[in-house]
Amino acid sequence: MTYLADLFIDGVWRPGGGGERFDVVDPSDSSVIARFAAATEADCSDAVDAAANAQESWAATPPRERGELLRSAYEVLTAEVERFAEIIVRENGKSWADAVGEANYAKEFFRWFAEEAVRIPGEYRLSPAGDKRIIVDRQPIGVSLLITPWNFPAAMATRKLAPALAAGCATILKPARETPLTAAYVVEVLRRAGVPSGVVNLVTPVPTGPLVAGMIDRPEVRKLSFTGSTEVGRDLLHACADSVVSASMELGGNAPLIVLPGADMDVTIEGTMTAKMRNGGAACTAANRVYVHGSRHDEFVERLTAELAALTVGPGLDRSHQVGALVSTTERDKVAAIVDTAVEEGATLVHGGKSSEKGAFYDVTLLTDVRHGSSINAVEIFGPVVAVVRYDDVDEVVRMANDTIYGLMAYVFGEEREAVAVARRLEAGMVAVNRGVVSDPAAPFGGVKQSGLGREGSSDGILEFLEEKYIALSETS
């Protein structure tokens, strides 16, 4: 039976003011699993009002209390991790293992920022002239609009909510329309943990663009934190510019994975499988362009083909499958078109390359003879597709790796000293050396170039939601 899911505004779950709803679909079979309330302009305005009214009291709440609330939410998510994962699978389509991995990763942001809430730094020092004391205080930036994508609906919500709440900011969460149920569950957990009315709000505006722009234009909104495509990020930056709203952005990626001549092939294959197949390839950090030195190319392709052939694709609730569905048939068809174009441009299809007739499934796929600069090298694939480019010179591969407008993530496999040297030359905010994943709540996550602005996680994450205030105190003794 399809159930009705609502907005969360000022501490109350409520339907949208216009009475409209949209379908939330299980991508494994296209069935409708929920009908979510569509937020109107008035609903969005109410959410901003609620957050603005709650801002002063939440900012004044002792950091320890804010941290304890986040810790309580962490404890709930830990106890309910399988329920959490099931919601993710049902609306996103990913495999069970990927969903459990995301659920565990997501809850860690609540634990990390529960601890960071009491460590907000400040400064107190004598000026060089000796005439005053320089006091630097860090205060909550204010009402924060948080916009999250569909590929990691849990982790992206907690990675934004946790530092904002720890810093003392009231929030408005706008999840992707494909995956609002996960966000609603996270918000409900925060309500159960005791978050005051108005401090956390959830809206799903329809139409999205104009209503989001309207919230950004409200003078009460002082922060936007967005994860999504670079194209949408540019539009949001324009909207922020009109009101001079502080913006943090984690945008698109086109991650290179480089296999150097001295790479340990066991480590390389294991790392490549993780870097590419985690989340079914639907990750901004996924290895999008795989560059393999000519001396190791054939061995790499042979061994990777065997590993890919061992994977099974199917519904995520069937725990025997390693790869689930893409989030929609639209995304499936987009991935299929990328592969078809690559083959037309001269790539060789070694494995996979087919879509399912039912559900948003796409075969695990391997392409070789891919040319640097071809279509598949220029787009985020966002699916279980490995595109291999052969190279012969390290300087050449560094140039190719950096030949993109993006700079979020990169991977290097090789003898450690040489791999680190190459990593330092790559134009990326994060580089994994001889491993397939870097994400950690304790590490700063973010990119360079057109992959974003600012950092999430680490101690940097909470600073995105704080403003510095300088107080000059006359020196009297």
Side-chain angles (χ1 to χ4, degrees):
M1 179 178 176
T2 302
Y3 76 97
L4 305 182
D6 290 333
L7 314 174
F8 188 72
I9 299 173
D10 204 13
V12 177
W13 292 102
R14 71 184 215 192
E20 299 296 321
R21 293 183 178 272
F22 59 87
D23 292 342
V24 182
V25 175
D26 182 338
S28 70
D29 60 11
S30 300
S31 63
V32 176
I33 57 176
R35 303 206 70 234
F36 210 97
T40 64
E41 182 177 7
D43 294 323
C44 293
S45 181
D46 287 349
V48 174
D49 289 342
N53 291 336
Q55 177 58 46
E56 184 176 358
S57 61
W58 182 243
T61 300
R64 178 66 71 191
E65 289 185 27
R66 300 197 299 258
E68 290 299 331
L69 188 149
L70 291 173
R71 178 72 192 200
S72 295
Y74 163 79
E75 298 290 354
V76 173
L77 292 178
T78 299
E80 300 180 4
V81 68
E82 292 216 349
R83 178 186 176 191
F84 197 11
E86 183 175 349
I87 296 169
I88 297 169
V89 171
R90 290 293 305 279
E91 65 177 355
N92 172 273
K94 67 181 66 180
S95 72
W96 180 259
D98 280 336
V100 171
E102 182 184 356
N104 282 316
Y105 177 49
K107 67 185 177 66
E108 287 298 327
F109 286 103
F110 282 157
R111 177 158 68 164
W112 174 261
F113 285 107
E115 297 163 351
E116 288 298 293
V118 298
R119 298 189 179 92
I120 294 172
E123 299 175 32
Y124 179 81
R125 63 181 185 270
L126 183 65
S127 69
D131 63 325
K132 60 185 172 295
R133 295 286 172 172
I134 295 173
I135 302 172
V136 181
D137 196 11
R138 288 183 172 86
Q139 300 178 336
I141 196 169
V143 173
S144 299
L145 176 59
L146 316 175
I147 303 179
T148 57
W150 51 257
N151 61 325
F152 285 98
M156 298 304 95
T158 60
R159 194 161 75 183
K160 296 181 188 301
L161 282 166
L165 296 174
C169 296
T171 60
I172 303 154
L173 177 63
K174 198 232 58 97
R177 283 185 59 175
E178 293 87 350
T179 55
L181 302 179
T182 303
Y185 172 70
V186 170
V187 169
E188 173 61 14
V189 166
L190 286 166
R191 187 198 66 79
R192 289 161 57 191
V195 68
S197 296
V199 171
V200 175
N201 303 274
L202 182 146
V203 294
T204 48
V206 179
T208 302
L211 297 189
V212 166
M215 286 189 284
I216 293 172
D217 197 45
R218 286 283 299 271
E220 298 91 343
V221 174
R222 299 311 309 146
K223 180 71 183 184
L224 170 69
S225 180
F226 169 75
T227 296
S229 71
T230 296
E231 292 74 20
V232 174
R234 292 190 193 109
D235 290 339
L236 290 172
L237 278 173
H238 281 291
C240 287
D242 290 337
S243 300
V244 195
V245 171
S246 171
S248 300
M249 302 217 161
E250 193 264 285
L251 305 176
N254 190 4
L257 185 151
I258 299 171
V259 181
L260 297 169
D264 179 318
M265 197 53 68
D266 290 337
V267 172
T268 300
I269 295 298
E270 179 182 357
T272 301
M273 290 293 292
T274 302
K276 179 69 255 189
M277 292 300 151
R278 175 173 170 256
N279 215 50
C284 54
T285 55
N288 208 58
R289 300 171 290 148
V290 178
Y291 297 99
V292 184
H293 191 269
S295 65
R296 310 303 301 275
H297 177 274
D298 293 350
E299 177 189 5
F300 176 87
V301 169
E302 180 181 356
R303 293 187 56 175
L304 189 65
T305 302
E307 292 291 329
L308 294 174
L311 300 178
T312 62
V313 180
L317 292 180
D318 181 341
R319 303 186 188 191
S320 67
H321 297 304
Q322 295 81 41
V323 180
L326 298 175
V327 76
S328 66
T329 54
T330 299
E331 284 296 314
R332 178 202 65 192
D333 294 346
K334 193 180 299 182
V335 171
I338 289 171
V339 172
D340 291 345
T341 299
V343 173
E344 291 171 4
E345 293 179 354
T348 299
L349 181 62
V350 176
H351 182 79
K354 295 180 181 178
S355 298
S356 63
E357 293 184 3
K358 295 182 180 180
F361 300 102
Y362 192 80
D363 281 354
V364 173
T365 298
L366 175 62
L367 298 166
T368 59
D369 301 316
V370 175
R371 178 179 54 83
H372 173 73
S374 61
S375 297
I376 197 169
N377 254 206
V379 298
E380 246 186 323
I381 302 170
F382 245 59
V385 178
V386 184
V388 179
V389 178
R390 183 196 295 258
Y391 77 92
D392 296 310
D393 178 76
V394 172
D395 289 337
E396 173 195 22
V397 79
V398 170
R399 179 191 61 76
M400 291 191 294
N402 290 336
D403 184 22
T404 173
I405 64 171
Y406 303 104
L408 183 63
M409 182 72 209
Y411 302 85
V412 184
F413 291 88
E415 183 277 323
E416 187 172 285
R417 184 184 297 272
E418 183 182 19
V420 171
V422 169
R424 290 197 171 110
R425 297 173 63 189
L426 296 177
E427 296 169 355
M430 302 172 289
V431 183
V433 173
N434 292 328
R435 56 181 295 116
V437 64
V438 297
S439 299
D440 191 305
F445 188 104
V448 299
K449 301 197 305 194
Q450 292 193 37
S451 283
L453 301 168
R455 293 294 182 267
E456 294 184 305
S458 182
S459 56
D460 299 41
I462 199 169
L463 297 179
E464 297 287 337
F465 294 92
L466 296 165
E467 287 184 313
E468 291 185 346
K469 176 179 285 185
Y470 160 45
I471 299 171
L473 182 64
S474 292
E475 181 66 10
T476 57
S477 59

